Structure formats: structure tokens, C-alpha cells
Amino acid sequence: MKRTSRSSTATTAAVLGLGLLASAALAQQQGQKVLSAPAGSGGDEKEGATRPFDSDFEAFAKEALDRWHVPGVAVAVVDGEDIWAEGYGISSFPSSPVTPSTLFYTGSTTKAFTAAIVSLLIFSGNYSSSYGGALSFQTPLSQLIRDDFVLQEGDDWAAAHLTLEDALSHRTGFPRHDKALLRRSGPDNHPSTVRDVARSLRYLPMAAEPRVTWRYCNLMFMVVSHAIQTLTGQWLGSAMRERIWAPLGMHSTFLSVEEALAAPGVEVARGYYWDYLGSGSNSREDRFVEVPYMNLDVASGAGGIVSNVLDYARWIRCLVHECAVLPKEAHRELKTARMMLPPGSEKGYDATLAYALGWELGTYKGHRVFTHSGGMEAYGAQVYCFPDLKYGVVTLGNTALTSNIVGYEVAWKLINEKIGIAKEERFDWAAFGQEIIDKRLKQADTAIEDLYPERADPALPRALPLGDYVGTYFHPAYQNITIEAIDEDVVLADERREKKRGELKAVRDNQDWQMGFEFRHASGEHWAVVIDFLNTPNMLNGQLARAEFVVGVQGTADQLRVEFLEEGSEGVIVFDRVR
């Protein structure tokens, strides 16, 4: 509910003034030209300024791209009022280069903007809940979208008490449930919306009590997106443009890939995945496989932004300088810790990280830092802000996961050199990245052993002939999963053949993240499920799950029970057989 507007002319003038300064400062940025632009300088190089992107850094970045099989990456640095930006590698094959203006999907770095919009609504004083109280971070979601925010039976307390703050800090107790995100919903098969996502929660299990542990949940940021749109009567992309992007001069930022593709004078980088098995060609280019652009309507405030490093540098500069686009109270609240991350999150930081509202928080060598990663089917983003140093770095690349690893390497090289950290004292991001890649590439080979270490040996036979498991099973949130038998051989897209591993499969092409499931028999009615993305089938986005068929008294497979395991158990999802 929106209250009567009480706008401040002084605040509006300050916001517009800052936006004009930012626009003027970067107006002359073209192509791959490195920019050193003090605010209001019109892009002239600052006397005595040190360029972060010298020939040594270029060689380092290009070597990282080659080693991690990433076509291209864009990097920007904010240092005080200066912004520097550069692009390396390929935006789109065969020869379109990455420049600072190249647009990329930015994934979950979107979450910080969604939290910022909530803060702007709160501190405007113009909005209230359905109960009449002033909007705050402690406002329960059920008071904003009452009919849509309904949870499973037994979760009544959570339904009544989970707040905006809980959703924005991943402490609701809900796990990911990303595989319940659908492209189409409802009996009329309409394109899914964030309202559909909110209404699906009534069928989804929580994995923990609220406010007890940190569980990353994209769905909750989609729920908040629905709440924002309900409060404002605006599409979230319009709210972001009006309240943040336009005042900051972020004119190349979008919450729709279709809008980005239609915008004049900009290029959206193509996403790729690397074919680790090879395709019979020695050409590096031939082993990069192009990935279709992914629609972002459902991703929305959880991961729907398309932007470039120049615009993100404006955002970082606003955050580290606490610019007037956000009120002081908003800057404080957005960067205040709400929940500790699990042990092991320190990865070179001084201690375990915490989560604020759309940001991870910590310290590095005594310096405060807030950061977030982003990942999509074929893109990766890294954002780092050091408020005490008035310093920040953003990287955007065009592969899944490996472009994040390139981002780690190049961003932390810049950060460590800024702070003056000796090489022997630096965290080994390359080794960390290699460990992740090795684990992802091998997880399918050891799926049964890893998921069922105490299985019967020899394995118990399944109860039914293989064909009796074939059919369609239904869950009200996850919708249909259709089980098919796998042919004698698995035929790969390039007509190569490899030994059959699974006996059953399912193609989930109505998911927002389209996936293929391969079922490998473990023992009795228990199966290991190897999951990979249909558009990037190299297992870097791959996952594992446990499955069990329930054989009824009539000797038929009546249910399929699946425990998805992305970042821990997501609960047991029961699919009832419908045909």
C-alpha cells in the first residue's frame, strides 16, 4: 500500500546532480579505451594516476582466460572518484571483442539492487503494510502479499512471521528449490511470473527453522520482487531504473534480456560452455559451444539484470562513497550483518563471512569488504567493495563458473596490489578454482558411491522390470517429471557414443533452468540421479540427487521421492504417478 507522497526537493536535486556528474565523468568512454575519470572531469586522465590495467595485467588476464577456457571478461576498478575499465577476449565468436561497454548477465549481483529498492521504499515513508503499519524490514511478507504468501501445513508460524529482512538475508529456512522454477505455470500454461513463484511456496518444504541457519534461496528474492511490484504498482525493472539506475547514469542496465538486445548501440555478450570431451577439432574456438540467451522474467530481482562493468562501477562508487541516491539509513541497513555464513566461507578473508541484505560481509587484512557473486547458465560476475579504501572491482564474463574463477584471479590481483599484500601471503584462488572444477567434472563418475556409501553389496535388484518405472509423476510445485528408459547407448550431440551409465532419464525442459536427469540404479528401489543443464552439458553446473521409487501394494511404481541436494538437502519431494 502506498501512502501519500512526501518528496524532498533538496534530496531530489542532490540525486539528480550526482547522476549528472556520473554521466559527465564517463561520457567520453568509448570502446576499450581505459578511463581515469574523476567525477565531473569529463573523462580527462587524472595527473599522477596509476593505471591498473598495464601490459602485465593484460597478459595475466589473457592467460587466465586461456587456462580456464573462458572467451572473454570485462573488468572495472573504482579507486576514489576514478573509474577504470577494460575488456579482454571475445564477446561473440568469431571475432567480436569484449569492451567495457559489452553487456553481460550479472546473475545474483542483482540481489543487492532488490534490497536497495526495498530500503528506498521503507525510508521514503510512503508505504505501509495491509495492517496499516509503516513499511519496515521487519514487515512480514504475509502483510504485503497475504493471499500469495501461504506455506505448507505446519509452517503457520513462518507464514505469519517471515519478514522482508529474513527473505533478503537468506535466513527463512527455505533451501534453494531452484528446480521448482518453471517457464510456464497453471492450467492455462501461462508464462511464469514472480507471483507464481510466491504461490508455489505452499507446496515446498522448509529445510530449517527460520533464523537458525543460512540457506541461500533465490525464490525468496523473487517473492520480495512480487511484494515490491504489489506495493508500487510498477514492474521491478521500472522501479530500479527510476530510483537507482537513471540517477546514477546507469543507462546500459536492464532487467530484461529482450530490452538489452533491442537497445541501440550496445552488444550483449554471447554465453558459451567449453566442451571438455573435445569435438575432434584442435581449434580452441570449435570447443566453445554457444548457449541461447535465457529469458529473465522469473529470475527478476534474484538474478535478472543485464549490464556492463561501466554501469556497475557507477553502482560501486555510489556504495563506497555512500552517495545520495540511497539515504544514509539505507547504506547502513544494507551493509549490516544479519546471519553468519557456514564455516569455510572465509576463503582467504580474515574470518567467516556474514550475510547482510544482498551482500556478503567480512574483512580482508583488516579492511572491511562487502561482495557478491553472480552466475547464470553461461555467465559469471564478481563484485567487491572496500568502503574504507573507497575502492572496488567488478568482473563480468561469458561462461558459467569458470568466468567466476577468472574473476577471482583478476579481481584479487588488483585488490592485493592496491593494499600491498606480498604474493606469499595471498590466497591461492587458482588452486581453489581448480579444486572446484575437478570435483564438478568427476561427480557423475562417483555418484552412486558418494550418495549411497552404505548400500548393499552386491546391490539388491530392483523390484520391477525397467519399463514399469516409465511414466509421468507429478508434484504441485515441481510439476511433471516424465521418466523414460535410456537406449542401449547414450548418443551425444556430436554423434560420439559412450558407455551407458544410467537406465532411466527425464528431460525437464519446462524448468527455468532446463535440466536433464539421469537415474543410475544403486540398490533396491534407490537410485542416484545425475543432473546437468541441457544448454551447458559439461557438468560444471551439474548436481546430484537421491531418488526412490515407491512400489504400491498392486506391484506398480506409484510414487517417485526425490531428495535434491544443492547446497545441502532440500527436503524430500514426492511426485505422485499420474500416468
Side-chain angles (χ1 to χ4, degrees):
M1 181 182 300
K2 184 173 181 179
R3 295 178 172 180
T4 303
S5 175
R6 301 196 302 271
S7 62
S8 166
T9 304
T11 300
T12 302
V15 169
L16 291 175
L18 187 142
L20 290 171
L21 285 174
S23 297
L26 298 175
Q28 296 184 12
Q29 169 63 27
Q30 297 292 333
Q32 288 189 273
K33 178 182 176 183
V34 177
L35 171 73
S36 174
S41 71
D44 296 330
E45 186 167 325
K46 185 176 181 180
E47 185 176 354
T50 302
R51 291 175 176 267
F53 304 130
D54 57 16
S55 58
D56 289 342
F57 183 85
E58 179 180 5
F60 178 87
K62 289 183 175 179
E63 188 277 330
L65 290 174
D66 287 341
R67 180 160 36 88
W68 294 111
H69 309 306
V70 178
V73 66
V75 190
V77 170
V78 175
D79 195 349
E81 293 289 348
D82 295 344
I83 291 175
W84 308 76
E86 185 60 283
Y88 304 97
I90 296 296
S91 166
S92 302
F93 285 108
S95 59
S96 181
V98 173
T99 76
S101 299
T102 303
L103 301 181
F104 295 83
Y105 288 65
T106 68
S108 287
T109 64
T110 302
K111 290 178 170 67
F113 290 93
T114 302
I117 289 293
V118 173
S119 74
L120 287 170
L121 300 184
I122 289 171
F123 294 114
S124 74
N126 296 333
Y127 296 88
S128 62
S129 73
S130 60
Y131 284 73
L135 185 70
S136 74
F137 286 114
Q138 288 72 46
T139 298
L141 289 161
S142 59
Q143 293 183 16
L144 302 175
I145 46 173
R146 183 188 306 175
D147 293 340
D148 297 330
F149 192 75
V150 177
L151 305 185
Q152 282 191 332
E153 184 178 353
D155 293 334
D156 297 343
W157 188 94
H161 293 89
L162 286 178
T163 65
L164 287 166
E165 182 178 44
D166 295 326
L168 295 171
S169 59
H170 298 300
R171 65 182 196 189
T172 63
F174 274 92
R176 276 187 172 265
H177 286 309
D178 284 349
K179 287 164 282 297
L181 294 173
L182 304 175
R183 297 192 167 204
R184 292 188 169 272
S185 299
D188 61 350
N189 201 36
H190 64 265
S192 296
T193 66
V194 288
R195 182 172 185 253
D196 292 314
V197 174
R199 293 182 68 84
S200 74
L201 293 178
R202 64 195 66 195
Y203 306 115
L204 296 173
M206 300 174 68
E209 293 294 321
R211 303 171 191 163
V212 171
T213 188
W214 186 80
R215 290 298 301 264
Y216 196 88
C217 184
N218 285 312
L219 276 67
M220 279 298 165
F221 273 78
M222 298 170 191
V223 171
V224 172
S225 301
H226 175 40
I228 292 169
Q229 293 177 168
T230 301
L231 282 166
T232 64
Q234 278 184 303
W235 175 52
L236 180 60
S238 298
M240 287 181 174
R241 184 165 306 284
E242 177 184 308
R243 292 169 167 85
I244 298 176
W245 301 340
L248 288 177
M250 296 174 64
H251 302 305
S252 296
T253 300
F254 308 88
L255 197 69
S256 159
V257 70
E258 290 80 11
E259 282 194 1
L261 290 168
V266 297
E267 179 186 12
V268 181
R270 278 287 180 182
Y272 296 90
Y273 75 90
W274 177 258
D275 178 8
Y276 283 93
L277 294 176
S279 56
S281 170
N282 293 324
S283 168
R284 178 174 181 268
E285 179 181 333
D286 288 344
R287 292 183 67 175
F288 282 112
V289 182
E290 186 175 299
V291 178
Y293 290 123
M294 178 181 175
N295 179 273
L296 296 168
D297 290 349
V298 175
S300 188
I305 286 180
V306 177
S307 187
N308 60 31
V309 295
L310 293 173
D311 274 10
Y312 259 59
R314 293 172 169 96
W315 172 233
I316 291 172
R317 185 166 62 181
C318 171
L319 293 169
V320 298
H321 287 281
E322 298 196 350
C323 80
V325 169
L326 301 177
K328 288 288 185 183
E329 299 89 345
H331 282 287
R332 181 188 67 243
E333 291 293 337
L334 294 173
K335 305 162 195 172
T336 297
R338 274 22 183 235
M339 201 72 190
M340 294 302 297
L341 270 64
S345 64
E346 54 272 14
K347 296 190 293 289
Y349 293 93
D350 295 341
T352 301
L353 301 180
Y355 204 88
L357 303 179
W359 291 104
E360 295 178 359
L361 302 178
T363 62
Y364 179 68
K365 309 299 183 185
H367 299 280
R368 288 188 301 147
V369 58
F370 51 98
T371 179
H372 213 288
S373 296
M376 298 296 283
E377 276 190 326
Y379 300 88
Q382 298 295 135
V383 178
Y384 298 93
C385 301
F386 288 80
D388 300 336
L389 300 174
K390 301 296 184 284
Y391 185 83
V393 181
V394 55
T395 70
L396 301 174
N398 53 347
T399 60
L401 186 59
T402 46
S403 62
N404 293 95
I405 297 172
V406 169
Y408 291 145
E409 287 204 46
V410 299
W412 282 102
K413 176 178 175 62
L414 292 163
I415 292 165
N416 282 318
E417 290 178 357
K418 167 67 176 178
I419 299 174
I421 305 302
K423 290 185 178 180
E424 61 271 16
E425 297 179 13
R426 301 178 184 181
F427 184 77
D428 191 343
W429 289 102
F432 172 72
Q434 192 61 58
E435 182 181 351
I436 293 174
I437 298 301
D438 290 345
K439 183 177 180 180
R440 295 286 180 93
L441 293 177
K442 294 175 182 177
Q443 64 179 334
D445 296 333
T446 59
I448 293 174
E449 292 78 6
D450 293 342
L451 293 172
Y452 298 102
E454 298 179 359
R455 68 194 182 283
D457 187 14
L460 300 176
R462 59 177 187 268
L464 304 176
L466 191 63
D468 288 2
Y469 298 98
V470 172
T472 299
Y473 301 76
F474 174 81
H475 179 272
Y478 282 78
Q479 298 289 298
N480 288 345
I481 180 169
T482 298
I483 305 297
E484 304 174 74
I486 292 181
D487 295 336
E488 184 68 19
D489 293 312
V490 178
V491 182
L492 302 182
D494 60 358
E495 297 184 354
R496 287 171 292 130
R497 303 167 78 87
E498 72 173 17
K499 184 179 178 182
K500 180 182 67 174
R501 294 179 179 274
E503 297 176 85
L504 299 169
K505 66 178 181 179
V507 175
R508 296 270 293 166
D509 55 6
N510 188 39
Q511 288 181 201
D512 206 43
W513 306 84
Q514 295 179 310
M515 298 179 184
F517 292 12
E518 182 187 283
F519 291 73
R520 302 180 181 181
H521 184 247
S523 184
E525 300 310 306
H526 298 275
W527 301 70
V529 186
V530 177
I531 303 171
D532 202 4
F533 281 32
L534 296 180
N535 290 325
T536 56
N538 64 359
M539 283 306 293
L540 292 193
N541 285 317
Q543 305 166 26
L544 302 179
R546 298 185 184 95
E548 177 187 7
F549 286 97
V550 177
V551 178
V553 67
Q554 295 182 333
T556 57
D558 295 339
Q559 285 184 342
L560 171 62
R561 299 164 61 88
V562 182
E563 182 186 16
F564 297 110
L565 298 166
E566 191 171 3
E567 298 175 358
S569 175
E570 300 176 63
V572 176
I573 307 300
V574 179
F575 295 84
D576 292 311
R577 187 166 191 160
V578 292
R579 60 178 180 269

